[in-house]
Amino acid sequence: MWAFLHRFASPRYFYNLSGRLIPWLGWFTLILMLAGLYLGLVWAPTDYQQGDSYRIIFVHVPSAWMSMFIYVVMAVASAIMLVWKIKLADVVAQSSAVVGASFTFLALVTGSLWGKPMWGAWWVWDARLTSELILLFLYFGYMALRAAIEDRNTAARAGAVLSLVGVVNIPIIHYSVYWWNTLHQGATVTKFAAPSIDVRMLIPLLVMALAFKLYYFTTMLMSARCEVLERERNNTWVQELAEKKA
Amino acid sequence: MNEPSLTRAFTLLLRRDLTLAFRHRSELANPLLFFVIVISLFPMGVSPESRVLQMIAPGVIWVAALLATMLSLDMMFRSDYEDGSLEQLLLSPHPVSVLVLAKVLAHWLVTGLPLLVLAPLLGVLLFLPIEAMPALVASLALGTPLLSLIGSIGMALTVGLRRSGVLLSLLVLPLYVPVLIFGANAVDAAAAGLPVTGQMYFLGAMLVLALSLSPLATAASLRISVS
């Protein structure tokens, strides 16, 4: 078991494995995304209250989910890096930050596009919007800290501490903002009772959520591969690879 | 060589930091002056009308306190880092997190505590009703140590960098949001004559959480920054 895990943590093994995984993941992402878009934009019924403009949730909700999921992934990877000193975990954390920030931004933009016709305002200081905005700042802080520190090892460890501090704060921020002011509609999918969303809307939503998750894994692995190559550029296996390609 | 006990090390470090702060009295006044100036900008910038000022007073005082604390974070580790005493601190046989706590306490005593004294005065200037004053002082009493504790993490992460001012605010301000929300909300509720125990409990709970966790994070960050 441990031998297996250690082999997986070796950059060379990771590079080869991810190289084989990425095409599969990429195609699955594409298929799921097209299916989700078709189901969401054509097959799902029109909302009795919001008309067709509710359909933006098929992008908005999955990206909001992903924005939080990726932060947790980043924090877990950071903890692994700090405890077991696995450098690959840091590559994962670093590559996740950019994707996570993009999803956070996407969730904010789509929410704002939806908010204009529904609430009559581009931006409202509501609980979910505000906590999402702060999440975006946390991502920016993480990336800025990493960029500001020259030494790669120091940057990795400092970033790891910051992401762990941030993940402790996320529930606090989420609930504090929630109690402070709220206009956003309540949870319709993740509550404990049966979801109050129509099944024909739920299916495209879940398909899109899965597509977004796969998209994240694909892009994260792609950028992690580049990062691994750059970090290991003085090792023989990378040089052999370069000679083979050339 | 016999080394001082942990309590003794704690008090020694605390006394040293306080002495250092009082030797630089002009620097000591800077955050307070900043606090007063920022608050006095609002009547000029927003409106001098008492009704408007009364409405925004809790938030304005809290945001100013937050910014003043953040500006003063630099004095927590910067000069120690530059003259090398921070490295000595990390080499000491005592747990660094406890020593960090002494430094944070010193920082709070010289920046947070004066804010508490000054806040009611500024409340009067902003037409905050008298009933809200106890809540203002109490929320600041619970909140400003929290600001020092959270800020110490950000400061420890950036102490090794040359120009860290903007980066520090990017790291620390998002983490300050819950403190700001509950602090300002408590004052707001008190001004409206509502009970504030709920907000105070939250501030207290966050203070306990930060007291137990943030020295560990700060100690880890210092080791990273100094290595």
Side-chain angles (χ1 to χ4, degrees):
Chain A
M1 179 69 189
W2 280 110
F4 170 76
L5 280 180
H6 272 279
R7 198 162 54 117
F8 187 72
S10 98
R12 182 181 187 175
Y13 186 76
F14 169 80
Y15 184 85
N16 291 332
L17 182 71
S18 60
R20 266 178 284 143
L21 273 177
I22 284 171
W24 287 95
L25 282 170
W27 282 110
F28 266 122
T29 310
L30 191 68
I31 292 166
L32 274 176
M33 202 156 297
L34 287 175
L37 281 176
Y38 171 76
L39 289 173
L41 297 183
V42 182
W43 181 73
T46 306
D47 190 73
Y48 76 100
Q49 211 176 8
Q50 301 178 355
D52 274 328
S53 57
Y54 89 93
R55 290 180 197 275
I56 204 162
I57 66 157
F58 296 122
V59 178
H60 172 67
V61 175
S63 49
W65 284 344
M66 288 310 294
S67 69
M68 286 176 276
F69 173 78
I70 294 175
Y71 199 92
V72 176
V73 170
M74 210 169 83
V76 170
S78 299
I80 291 172
M81 199 281 294
L82 280 181
V83 177
W84 288 291
K85 312 258 182 300
I86 295 175
K87 290 212 178 88
L88 199 60
D90 179 56
V91 176
V92 169
Q94 189 186 4
S95 315
S96 298
V98 186
V99 194
S102 324
F103 273 124
T104 318
F105 185 69
L106 185 65
L108 283 170
V109 168
T110 50
S112 148
L113 286 175
W114 178 86
K116 184 62 183 163
M118 290 300 136
W119 295 341
W122 292 113
W123 179 260
V124 192
W125 288 99
D126 137 88
R128 293 217 177 164
L129 273 73
T130 314
S131 51
E132 194 74 7
L133 184 66
I134 297 164
L135 183 63
L136 185 65
F137 291 152
L138 287 176
Y139 275 120
F140 282 162
Y142 177 84
M143 292 193 287
L145 181 67
R146 288 199 74 124
I149 302 176
E150 298 247 325
D151 180 59
R152 187 169 274 152
N153 241 326
T154 317
R157 292 194 294 151
V161 171
L162 183 69
S163 70
L164 287 174
V165 173
V167 89
V168 172
N169 249 275
I170 279 187
I172 302 180
I173 291 174
H174 181 76
Y175 287 106
S176 69
V177 188
Y178 215 86
W179 291 317
W180 167 55
N181 196 351
T182 273
L183 180 70
H184 202 284
Q185 66 188 61
T188 41
V189 181
T190 49
K191 59 184 191 182
F192 284 113
S196 54
I197 185 174
D198 189 289
V199 180
R200 297 220 289 156
M201 293 178 189
L202 182 64
I203 291 170
L205 189 59
L206 293 180
V207 172
M208 281 305 274
L210 197 61
F212 272 43
K213 201 153 275 181
L214 286 178
Y215 173 82
Y216 156 63
F217 284 126
T218 319
T219 47
M220 189 266 284
L221 284 179
M222 280 162 84
S223 80
R225 247 160 86 87
C226 291
E227 188 65 29
V228 163
L229 275 189
E230 205 187 314
R231 288 189 187 194
E232 302 277 309
R233 63 179 176 275
N234 293 330
N235 281 17
T236 40
W237 69 269
V238 178
Q239 280 159 6
E240 277 165 19
L241 203 71
E243 275 161 24
K244 222 188 315 177
K245 285 269 159 78
Chain B
M1 195 182 86
N2 52 346
E3 54 209 31
S5 70
L6 184 56
T7 9
R8 178 135 174 78
F10 185 88
T11 45
L12 273 177
L13 191 59
L14 180 64
R15 198 178 306 153
R16 166 187 175 271
D17 269 31
L18 289 178
T19 316
L20 274 177
F22 282 105
R23 295 271 159 81
H24 300 94
R25 247 172 244 139
S26 58
E27 272 176 51
L28 205 61
N30 283 349
L32 286 178
L33 278 175
F34 176 82
F35 183 58
V36 176
I37 289 172
V38 166
I39 285 178
S40 63
L41 287 179
F42 278 85
M44 293 183 256
V46 181
S47 150
E49 207 182 320
S50 64
R51 208 169 39 81
V52 178
L53 285 177
Q54 188 183 350
M55 204 173 67
I56 61 170
V60 167
I61 294 177
W62 258 98
V63 169
L66 206 125
L67 293 176
T69 313
M70 204 195 69
L71 276 185
S72 65
L73 285 176
D74 217 42
M75 64 193 252
M76 200 147 33
F77 300 121
R78 173 73 63 200
S79 63
D80 284 356
Y81 176 75
E82 276 161 5
D83 66 14
S85 41
L86 196 61
E87 281 180 34
Q88 298 304 316
L89 199 76
L90 293 176
L91 288 173
S92 95
H94 298 298
V96 179
S97 51
V98 180
L99 301 179
V100 160
L101 205 55
K103 288 192 80 67
V104 174
L105 181 61
H107 175 260
W108 179 73
L109 286 175
V110 297
T111 61
L113 201 57
L115 282 188
L116 287 184
V117 182
L118 218 54
L121 197 70
L122 291 159
V124 172
L125 284 182
L126 294 180
F127 307 101
L128 200 67
I130 296 294
E131 307 90 79
M133 294 301 172
L136 178 66
V137 176
S139 67
L140 281 172
L142 287 172
T144 44
L146 204 47
L147 298 180
S148 298
L149 282 166
I150 300 171
S152 74
I153 305 173
M155 194 54 225
L157 282 172
T158 54
V159 71
L161 305 171
R162 207 162 303 148
R163 270 187 296 268
S164 60
V166 186
L167 183 61
L168 179 67
S169 50
L170 188 57
L171 300 188
V172 166
L173 286 181
L175 302 179
Y176 277 176
V177 168
V179 190
L180 173 71
I181 285 175
F182 286 114
N185 197 286
V187 185
D188 233 4
L194 299 169
V196 292
T197 38
Q199 288 92 328
M200 292 298 166
Y201 283 149
F202 268 114
L203 283 174
M206 288 195 290
L207 181 57
V208 172
L209 184 74
L211 264 177
S212 47
L213 289 184
S214 79
L216 297 173
T218 307
S221 316
L222 282 178
R223 284 194 196 285
I224 293 165
S225 285
V226 169
S227 66

